[in-house]
Amino acid sequence: MDKIGLTKDAGWQYGIRRTVDLPLEEVWDYLFSTNGFKIWADQVQTDFSTFKKYSHIRTKWKMKDWDGAASLQLRVLSNSRTKKTTIALHIDQIKNELHRDQAKKYWTGVLAKIIEKLRSA
């Protein structure tokens, strides 16, 4: 039986998407504002390997008790038809199933906070 999140050659992975009824630029600007950055950038290496404004970033991330880092990709996607924006987060190279479960719990909570703040702004 296949295990959810286990890849053939890149370890474990996890992805989550959340959509808000706001323009892409507003969502991106909030994510990289002082208040937004505090919500999601804890334990994230801020020397991003990729930084494309209003599109995506790539970097490393790990929980405090992990002995190795996973790869994190954060994308902000606009839907011109619905005028909504999706925040898409993908983490791969996660060491094991326990770390995947920890990442899932952590990032589900982080995105819930971000969406709550964006909707109340």
Side-chain angles (χ1 to χ4, degrees):
M1 185 161 122
D2 291 337
K3 294 200 177 237
I4 295 173
L6 181 59
T7 67
K8 230 180 223 186
D9 54 4
W12 293 82
Q13 66 179 353
Y14 173 69
I16 185 171
R17 291 174 174 239
R18 294 293 182 260
T19 301
V20 290
D21 193 13
L22 293 167
L24 180 139
E25 292 81 7
E26 189 174 332
V27 172
W28 179 274
D29 289 344
Y30 177 74
L31 287 170
F32 288 91
S33 70
T34 302
N35 291 334
F37 204 68
K38 283 181 198 174
I39 295 172
W40 70 270
D42 187 34
Q43 306 170 81
V44 168
Q45 289 181 4
T46 56
D47 56 337
F48 303 124
S49 58
T50 301
F51 184 93
K52 187 169 179 190
K53 190 173 183 178
Y54 298 125
S55 177
H56 65 281
I57 62 105
R58 286 190 184 100
T59 191
K60 295 289 185 182
W61 168 81
K62 69 182 206 111
M63 302 281 296
K64 288 183 174 116
D65 62 340
W66 290 7
D67 58 357
S71 293
L72 170 88
Q73 179 174 263
L74 176 95
R75 289 191 172 273
V76 181
L77 308 163
S78 177
N79 184 324
S80 57
R81 185 179 53 80
T82 64
K83 307 224 186 314
K84 295 181 180 184
T85 300
T86 299
I87 300 169
L89 189 84
H90 183 81
I91 304 149
D92 59 23
Q93 299 175 356
I94 301 171
K95 185 175 179 179
N96 56 45
E97 190 172 15
L98 173 62
H99 285 188
R100 182 189 185 273
D101 290 344
Q102 291 172 335
K104 178 180 179 180
K105 182 178 180 183
Y106 178 83
W107 286 105
T108 299
V110 166
L111 276 183
K113 286 180 197 170
I114 290 169
I115 298 301
E116 178 185 328
K117 295 289 186 186
L118 284 167
R119 287 183 175 154
S120 67

